Amino acid sequence: YATRDPKMSRQMLGVAVAAANSNFSRGAWTNLSVDGPLLEPVLPWEQKIDSGEPKLDKAKDGERTLLHIRAGGSAVASWRARMVIPPGKYEFTGSVRTAGVVAQREEPGVGAGLRISGLKRANQLSGDAGWTTLAFPLEVTELPTEVELVCELRAQKGEVWFDTESFRLVRR
């Protein structure tokens, strides 16, 4: 099942079971996630600067919280959060927009995008792009596995905004 924390700011996943011969009513389910959610960020979003002198900050757009990176010159920077997830195939998705991004072409990605730390990404945004949903597929084969979600900018210049309210880690 999927739910949100009391502030409605973080999506969390849990596991519940019901007997096959039950009526599947609310009382028929047993929550197996008794020690807390099965899936939720372990740490808050953290900044990482790999090169250059980019500016990273959080912005508000109405009720939405945006992670923002601005590169005035050549820079590689990211926002990162760690999660522990069970084995399975997943897709990390989120809405991203860019302004004036001149992409750097280097591994593990180009321009602005979403990925998992340690892996290369194919998704990319550059130039001036309105809100666009990007996706990064991943497979976890061991339990438990901690992954680090990465929202990054690899650019000569430009800005990127990541909408934290749109982030999803969905089992495929």
Side-chain angles (χ1 to χ4, degrees):
Y1 62 88
T3 188
R4 286 207 170 279
D5 68 348
K7 293 181 182 178
M8 299 300 285
S9 62
R10 230 178 356 180
Q11 185 175 7
M12 301 179 296
L13 299 179
V15 176
V17 296
N21 62 353
S22 74
N23 62 3
F24 300 105
S25 66
R26 184 177 180 95
W29 292 91
T30 300
N31 186 3
L32 298 181
S33 302
V34 294
D35 293 328
L38 178 66
L39 177 62
E40 73 171 326
V42 174
L43 297 172
W45 288 97
E46 299 176 343
Q47 302 175 7
K48 183 176 181 192
I49 297 174
D50 291 316
S51 67
E53 296 182 13
K55 304 294 183 217
L56 290 84
D57 61 6
K58 291 183 180 180
K60 284 296 223 182
D61 181 15
E63 294 295 313
R64 297 186 304 178
T65 300
L66 307 177
L67 304 177
H68 176 238
I69 305 172
R70 182 177 66 242
S74 181
V76 175
S78 58
W79 286 93
R80 294 164 178 257
R82 292 188 296 254
M83 301 178 79
V84 177
I85 57 177
K89 292 182 179 183
Y90 297 90
E91 189 170 65
F92 170 36
T93 63
S95 293
V96 182
R97 77 177 166 98
T98 58
V101 171
V102 177
Q104 286 185 183
R105 302 203 175 276
E106 61 182 54
E107 297 296 334
V110 175
L114 303 174
R115 67 182 177 90
I116 300 299
S117 181
L119 301 176
K120 296 177 184 179
R121 66 175 162 85
N123 67 67
Q124 62 181 1
L125 279 183
S126 59
D128 297 315
W131 288 111
T132 304
T133 299
L134 297 181
F136 185 88
L138 70 139
E139 183 172 1
V140 173
T141 57
E142 298 176 19
L143 179 69
T145 299
E146 182 176 271
V147 297
E148 188 171 45
L149 308 176
V150 179
C151 304
E152 71 182 348
L153 178 63
R154 295 174 172 275
Q156 297 297 320
K157 65 178 183 176
E159 296 181 81
V160 61
W161 293 264
F162 300 93
D163 178 5
T164 63
E165 303 303 317
S166 70
F167 292 156
R168 302 286 181 268
L169 189 61
V170 180
R171 193 181 282 262
R172 296 187 285 149

